Amino acid sequence: MTINTQHGSPSFPTASSALAPSSREEMDRAIGVLVEQKDNWVKTPVAERIRIVDSLIADFSALAPRWVAASLQAKGLEEDSPYAGEEWVAGTWALLHSLRQLRQALIDIQQDGHPHIPGPIRTRHDGQVKAQVFPFRPYDRVLFPGVKAEVWMQPGVTAETLASTQAVNYQAPLPTGKVALVLGAGNVASIGPLDVLYKLFTDNQVVLFKANPVNAYLGPLMAEAFHSLIDAGYLRIVHGGAEEGSYLCQHASIDEIHITGSDKTFDAIVFGPGAEGAARKAARQPLVTKRVTGELGNVSPVIVVPGPWNERDMDDQAIHIASMLVNNAGYNCNATRVIIQHKDWALRPQLLQQVRNVLSQLPTRKAYYPGARQRYQDFVAAHPEAEEFGGSNDPQNLPWTLISDVDATNKDDICFTTEAFCSLFAETALDAASVVDYIERAVQFANEQLWGTLNATLLVHPRSLQDPTIAEAVGRAIAQLRYGSIGVNYWAGTSFVLGSTTWGAFPGHEIYDIQSGNDVVHNSLMFSRAQKSVVYAPFRSIPTPPWFTSQARSASKLFRQLTQFEQSPSWLKLPAIVKTAILG
């Protein structure tokens, strides 16, 4: 059977929006204000920037409940839904958490010219420098027990030169400013605001933000929360779809463009849509020659390292793997798409069965993202053996779906070449003579056969790491995986919310093969030459991470508490948070 699908991320159909698109006159006026203020922003003292961040924290905190309520309504969720916690963590807490880190980074810049790195800086045997960036502050050791994160630098950066690669736009600001167009993503409520903050405070550019039609309902709330930037003329928000986006991308006064979304949208911006755009790309003749950066999609792997797992390990890791899919109904670029296992591991069937058991107990979700049903049907048509779980009579919902035992030698399988961006993932198994051989083959498979370079996760039992040969193989895997974020016993997607880690593709993609993108965001320590971020955690975290599906009922309460904590951090607030994390 031939399936008509494309490699890479989806080409999303146009979404409708309750907000009218901005007229060209309105967009021109917005750009005009930004042009007038772009040089003033470059000259804005750090002390004033800190004052602005303080206003952003206070103003966003005040409307956070309304922000969450609007997102829940749009995604078809009730306030007491087991999935409601997602909107508190990725929608509000992540933004406030990043603002807190940005504030501290600016204080450090004011004092010493660059942000302070909170952990040790080490140089690997091959000369590569890595800096521990999380825990970022003492509170994080309590809120995220056992979690550690590093940013690995690109070759050529040394421990001695590392500070000079931070906050470069503060160390040597340009004499004139720039206007950046930020094209927001529609799936996660914090993406647009975080991208705006990155362009303003790290890249030192004023911003025209075009809200995505999928979540344009957040535009008025964002205008309210970010009024301190809007009032000063450093930010403008406009609305519309592809027509408005095309007009803005080709506008003479837009200096740079940043998009979070699909490689197909990136290509349409740079080369133009349709057959003419494809021809320009093939001829290497871009339509838009200004700098365009993107944080795009991925076929995200989870590499399962065989080991002496017991029943409790199986239960916990099955929940862990399932949670990586069902978060946000599967509409995440960091969602698990391919589980990689050793074909001869005796526990492989049991782990898969446990994953099935978890999925079968979870309520299904509304297919709220445009084109989801067609993408889902493409995958199921290619794999009629796909297993569906969590059935629902609601025609708006899609089932959780597992396609197991996909042939690893079929390089063109849709599960390996195409990001599903819906409630579906796959599993494949590799032949290998030993665990060490398997790890090496899994890394090669992930690097060479799966599309994209955004994020990858490894699961490895601590007793496996007691074997020096396996420990060395895992260390090599972390170094050799060409992904922008890697999680070791922790979903790599959490790098999106930690703030001090980078979020974006592994460096090296040119515009003619953009894959997962060509820049990073978040990155509160403002590294300009980062290669990847690596997040480490215990094999079984205690307490259980709140984003696990098993914690869904208490997650909303917990992340509401964490959001309130970021409004005004205090040790006095921690006991109640810890109690909720442990007892629910």
Side-chain angles (χ1 to χ4, degrees), residues 51-62:
R51 187 198 67 76
I52 291 173
V53 171
D54 285 339
S55 295
L56 292 171
I57 292 171
D59 294 335
F60 186 76
S61 297

Side-chain angles (χ1 to χ4, degrees), residues 383-444:
H383 287 280
E385 76 279 14
E387 303 172 72
E388 298 181 345
F389 304 93
S392 170
N393 294 324
D394 191 334
Q396 296 189 83
N397 292 14
L398 282 175
W400 309 119
T401 301
L402 170 65
I403 303 172
S404 63
D405 201 25
V406 178
D407 182 1
T409 66
N410 182 5
K411 295 182 179 181
D412 294 326
D413 194 288
I414 187 174
C415 295
F416 304 150
T417 66
T418 307
E419 182 185 13
F421 211 74
C422 64
S423 56
L424 176 149
F425 60 1
E427 184 262 0
T428 191
L430 306 179
D431 286 311
S434 66
V435 173
V436 170
D437 183 38
Y438 161 75
I439 294 170
E440 292 172 349
R441 289 173 182 263
V443 169
Q444 182 181 19

Side-chain angles (χ1 to χ4, degrees), residues 96-108:
L96 286 170
H97 182 66
S98 289
L99 281 168
R100 280 286 165 199
Q101 292 183 350
L102 174 59
R103 185 182 192 277
Q104 185 58 53
L106 291 171
I107 290 172
D108 295 343

Side-chain angles (χ1 to χ4, degrees), residues 41-42 44 46 49-50 52-53 56 98-99 101-106 109 113-115 136 163-174 176-178 180 182 193-207 226 229 234 256 258 291 293 499-503 519-530:
W41 176 247
V42 171
T44 300
V46 175
R49 293 176 182 233
I50 294 171
I52 291 173
V53 171
L56 292 171
S98 289
L99 281 168
Q101 292 183 350
L102 174 59
R103 185 182 192 277
Q104 185 58 53
L106 291 171
I109 291 169
H114 61 86
F136 186 84
S164 69
T165 72
Q166 293 180 266
V168 294
N169 289 307
Y170 291 83
Q171 296 188 41
L174 295 173
T176 58
K178 290 185 176 182
V182 171
L194 287 171
D195 289 353
V196 166
L197 292 173
Y198 193 79
K199 297 302 288 186
L200 276 159
F201 288 92
T202 299
D203 287 351
N204 217 8
Q205 300 169 6
V206 295
V207 174
F226 280 47
L229 288 164
Y234 303 140
E256 292 194 6
H258 178 77
R291 183 172 183 251
T293 57
S500 54
T501 46
T502 56
W503 185 248
D519 202 4
V520 299
V521 289
H522 305 186
N523 182 28
S524 59
L525 296 169
M526 303 185 188
F527 296 111
S528 61
R529 296 196 60 197

Side-chain angles (χ1 to χ4, degrees), residues 25-99:
E25 291 76 14
E26 290 171 327
M27 291 187 285
D28 287 342
R29 283 197 298 271
I31 294 172
V33 172
L34 295 171
V35 169
E36 289 178 0
Q37 295 301 323
K38 64 181 182 179
D39 293 347
N40 289 336
W41 176 247
V42 171
K43 299 171 186 176
T44 300
V46 175
E48 173 63 13
R49 293 176 182 233
I50 294 171
R51 187 198 67 76
I52 291 173
V53 171
D54 285 339
S55 295
L56 292 171
I57 292 171
D59 294 335
F60 186 76
S61 297
L63 61 72
R66 292 160 54 202
W67 184 272
V68 170
S71 299
L72 292 175
Q73 181 179 8
K75 295 180 180 181
L77 297 173
E78 299 295 332
E79 187 176 348
D80 61 351
S81 165
Y83 300 118
E86 297 170 1
E87 298 307 318
W88 283 101
V89 58
T92 58
W93 175 81
L95 179 54
L96 286 170
H97 182 66
S98 289
L99 281 168

